[in-house]
Amino acid sequence: MSAIVRGAQMARMLNAWQVAVGVRGPGGRRPEYVVLANAVRGLLIDGRLALGVRLPAERELAAALGISRTTVTAAYRELRESGHLSSRRGAGSWTELPAGHRVGTSGLWTPSDDADLIDLGCAAMPAPPEFAAAATEAVADLEPYLCGPGYQPAGLLVLREAVARRYCERGLPTEPDQVMITGGVQQALDLLLRLLVAPGQRALVETPTYPNALSAFLAGRARLSAYAIGPDGWDADLLLSTVRAAQARVAYVIPEFHNPTGHLMPASLRERLPAAAHAAGTDLIVDESFVDLPLDPDLTDEAMPPAIAAFDRTARVLTIGGMSKAFWGGLRIGWVRGPAPLIARLAAARVGVDMASPVLDQLVAARLLLRRDTIVETRRKQLLVQRDTLVAALREHLPQWRFALPRGGMVLWAELDAPVSSALARSAEELGVRVAPGPRFGADGTMERFMRLPYTLPEADLVEAVRRLAVARTDLDRPRRHPWSAPAVVA
């Protein structure tokens, strides 16, 4: 039996669809049913509406949206014509996709084989030049491990020592038995949620936040509460009071160059957060994926705020990090830092998932960490140039968009001039640019005024991507004609 979306649910998912998809534009007005059909297509393409789901009856959806049934009937007809809906008389209508189209999975990025596509959907960089040498050395390091079974759920000691040493360099004393190696940061989060959060328990997340983290919480059937990050970052008093009031099992935060807003959490808030979490019975999961990538000259390693775990007195802070951002996403190595007893429990629970991380990958990671200073310095210089290139292009081609200049990390969070993010993402892809619309970063499907723009591509690609985005944004305001639409009404 297929899932059914009720009218009220559909209305919430569409979320001000008449404004978000641009019913009105300077040149005229699109028919309302066309706008509604476009909004439903957007839900499908973004993965917020699953395939094979039965949509509300026309009369039910019309009542929920406060529009005429004729409008819904025409919208469903257009969706059938475009291959996004199939219907059987007397049985209902189900979502589908036309041949050749692909749907996102809960906001997850999927790679493209289109060589001409400028892909701003993923914030990641190619492997550094030092990777090949590190891999060669790792093969030479492999022989002593070949006589054993190769399963070490907590990770190789040589890599745990290297990760612990890096924490010590940041002023956070850490022993190897406080570190567990995982298959990337995403698996680190997933394993913690498996261990700590039972289905139905409450979890506190920031909004906006990292889409794959939201997917992990939803897969574990956690009940989500959200704290909104403002244009200036975290409101300390509001966040602390929210932590106390929510009394969530865990709270997930990204303090260093927050994904997607780019904000850096101040030391004063880091100092107060563990105590508030302890008072609420909440464990903090701190995602440090971007911690190695400050870009401002004044943000040296020594000038960076202390890790949140440095203020932990009650074993409530669990830190996750990995190699994907500063080094290479293709090396699926991450880690969890926490109290040694919890790390031991986590390693035991991990056996039921994938036993252990690949030995050779861990040896490569250990060799790369020996070259950290050189690799990271090069990355920072490159990202700084690319960030400034993206900013200059936005100011030239889309001056009406607003944003805070990120002091580090890989992404810029732009506030658009209208709530058209999903529609703009669809229009831009037709012009050969893939972007991640704002709703992918919110637990409730809002954020239509925002868009995340990574600056991880070469400068020429960034400039061309912004130029095409500006064309796509202009196109949204132009009335479109359809075979069965009435003539546009000139405003």
Side-chain angles (χ1 to χ4, degrees), residues 131-142 360 363 367-368 370-371:
F131 190 93
T136 300
E137 294 168 4
V139 172
D141 296 337
L142 185 60
L360 184 57
L363 294 174
R367 285 291 181 173
L368 285 172
L370 293 176
R371 298 168 165 84

Side-chain angles (χ1 to χ4, degrees), residues 380-395:
R380 291 175 183 174
K381 290 178 179 177
Q382 183 178 1
L383 285 169
L384 179 59
V385 171
Q386 291 170 185
R387 181 200 69 178
D388 292 348
T389 297
L390 176 64
V391 166
L394 287 171
R395 287 173 176 164

Side-chain angles (χ1 to χ4, degrees), residues 172-456:
L172 181 59
T174 302
E175 297 296 328
D177 63 356
Q178 292 180 266
V179 176
M180 173 178 152
I181 305 303
T182 65
V185 181
Q186 185 70 19
Q187 190 191 57
L189 175 60
D190 182 73
L191 291 172
L192 284 173
L193 297 183
R194 287 171 182 262
L195 182 67
L196 299 176
V197 184
Q201 285 190 305
R202 189 174 299 280
L204 180 64
V205 298
E206 298 160 324
T207 182
T209 193
Y210 179 47
N212 291 350
L214 286 177
S215 297
F217 281 103
L218 295 174
R221 292 182 289 167
R223 289 192 302 142
L224 293 184
S225 296
Y227 161 80
I229 294 183
D232 299 319
W234 297 265
D235 181 306
D237 291 337
L238 181 58
L239 174 57
L240 297 173
S241 63
T242 301
V243 169
R244 297 187 190 101
Q247 295 188 332
R249 180 63 189 87
V250 298
Y252 172 75
V253 296
I254 309 174
E256 284 89 20
F257 315 116
H258 176 266
N259 186 5
T261 67
H263 292 302
L264 178 64
M265 183 181 287
S268 57
L269 178 53
R270 295 166 184 252
E271 185 174 5
R272 299 167 65 190
L273 193 52
H278 175 63
T282 299
D283 286 336
L284 288 174
I285 300 178
V286 179
D287 187 339
E288 291 189 335
S289 293
F290 294 97
V291 70
D292 285 323
L293 296 175
L295 301 184
D296 284 6
D298 58 325
L299 284 179
T300 61
D301 286 346
E302 295 74 22
M304 283 284 288
I308 292 179
F311 303 105
D312 184 21
R313 303 290 181 266
T314 56
R316 284 288 187 185
V317 178
L318 308 165
T319 305
I320 59 178
M323 308 289 291
S324 62
K325 299 306 179 184
F327 296 89
W328 187 42
L331 185 65
R332 302 309 304 148
I333 294 294
W335 50 77
V336 181
R337 182 209 179 271
L342 184 139
I343 293 297
R345 290 171 53 209
L346 194 64
R350 188 249 184 95
V351 172
V353 178
D354 74 342
M355 299 294 288
S357 296
V359 172
L360 184 57
D361 288 13
Q362 294 182 73
L363 294 174
V364 174
R367 285 291 181 173
L368 285 172
L369 287 175
L370 293 176
R371 298 168 165 84
R372 175 197 170 274
D373 291 349
T374 300
I375 293 173
V376 166
E377 180 62 23
T378 301
R379 291 291 207 210
R380 291 175 183 174
K381 290 178 179 177
Q382 183 178 1
L383 285 169
L384 179 59
V385 171
Q386 291 170 185
R387 181 200 69 178
D388 292 348
T389 297
L390 176 64
V391 166
L394 287 171
R395 287 173 176 164
E396 177 181 356
H397 297 287
L398 290 163
Q400 67 274 35
W401 289 13
R402 297 185 296 178
F403 52 86
L405 184 68
R407 303 180 67 196
M410 294 178 162
V411 299
L412 179 148
W413 186 239
E415 181 179 359
L416 314 187
D417 57 309
V420 295
S421 184
S422 294
L424 181 57
R426 294 193 297 274
S427 181
E429 188 140 10
E430 294 176 1
L431 297 177
V433 178
R434 175 186 284 175
V435 289
R440 293 190 178 184
F441 300 86
D444 54 3
T446 57
M447 303 283 170
E448 280 288 0
R449 272 195 170 272
F450 296 89
M451 180 171 284
R452 191 190 75 167
L453 300 173
Y455 38 87
T456 51

Side-chain angles (χ1 to χ4, degrees), residues 138-154:
V139 172
D141 296 337
L142 185 60
E143 186 174 356
Y145 298 92
L146 297 179
C147 58
Y151 298 132
Q152 297 193 32

